[in-house]
Amino acid sequence: MVTIDTSRLVLRRWRESDVPAMAAVNADPEVMRWIRDGRVLSPEETRLWVERIERNWEAEGFGLFAVEWRASGELVGFTGLAVPTFLPEVLPAVEIGWRLGRPFWGRGIATEAATAALRFGFEGRGLERIISIAQVGNSASERVMAKLGLPPGRETTAPGNGRVVRVHELTRAEYLSRRQG
């Protein structure tokens, strides 16, 4: 079991007890505004999604971490790595992503969590390239991507919903040179 500690957070595998808190995040229209087609998820859809995440961990050796606020043990949301099957034109690829409950926005938490997940991908799993995908207009996520050192690349249209997305990309060599410099 992979667990990563940061100054304020614990990134860990999912527990059944996380589902209600993550379901509340996934039910917030403002949180989901930039996710796929913007539709909120039901508690049952969230439960199935968490089960899928755990299966992906077993199959891939990486996945989306539950992000816990260290001081209280409260679930903040998620960050981590996944294969972006919703955008076949970028495959093969591994995407870094995050989703936080609104009370945790604007506090540097996404950057802190995603920095740890990026390190895990490049240093812990030896990935050669990590991308991140944001819908055009989602400036908050693109600011996090910039802080992570993922420069913007091409724009394309997501086939499942017709929304325009921007693909950001960082190679292992770029990551390691940045870490050394």
Side-chain angles (χ1 to χ4, degrees):
M1 288 283 200
V2 177
T3 301
I4 300 172
D5 294 313
T6 72
S7 62
R8 300 180 292 172
L9 309 170
V10 177
L11 282 62
R12 59 169 173 74
R13 297 280 295 271
W14 293 82
R15 303 176 187 140
E16 181 67 29
S17 60
D18 295 326
V19 171
M22 194 66 219
V25 173
N26 287 339
D28 183 333
E30 189 60 26
V31 170
M32 299 303 286
R33 174 180 177 202
W34 299 108
I35 310 299
R36 308 227 184 200
D37 64 359
R39 186 179 65 82
V40 299
L41 300 181
S42 71
E44 178 62 12
E45 288 170 313
T46 297
R47 185 185 63 72
L48 294 170
W49 176 77
V50 167
E51 289 174 2
R52 202 167 40 255
I53 290 169
E54 282 300 305
R55 284 193 304 273
N56 289 342
W57 267 103
E58 298 306 320
E60 303 287 349
F62 58 79
L64 300 177
F65 291 98
V67 177
E68 180 181 295
W69 188 251
R70 177 187 302 286
S72 66
E74 181 179 5
L75 184 78
V76 170
F78 78 79
T79 192
L81 306 167
V83 176
T85 56
F86 70 93
L87 194 60
E89 72 183 69
V90 301
L91 299 176
V94 175
E95 179 189 16
I96 188 167
W98 47 85
R99 185 177 314 155
L100 306 179
R102 262 197 286 174
F104 299 98
W105 290 6
R107 297 164 56 182
I109 296 169
T111 302
E112 181 178 333
T115 297
L118 193 68
R119 183 178 324 109
F120 171 74
F122 283 129
E123 297 178 19
R125 291 299 182 254
L127 297 174
E128 289 300 320
R129 175 177 81 115
I130 295 176
I131 67 171
S132 196
I133 303 165
Q135 289 184 16
V136 171
N138 185 352
S139 57
S141 279
E142 290 201 294
R143 278 192 301 275
V144 173
M145 292 170 193
K147 290 175 187 175
L148 295 174
L150 286 135
R154 74 176 184 270
E155 291 184 11
T156 189
T157 301
N161 58 39
R163 291 187 175 189
V164 178
V165 296
R166 188 173 295 120
V167 181
H168 299 243
E169 179 177 325
L170 184 65
T171 67
R172 178 179 173 77
E174 291 165 337
Y175 171 82
L176 291 175
S177 71
R178 206 179 73 225
R179 297 257 309 158
Q180 294 170 352

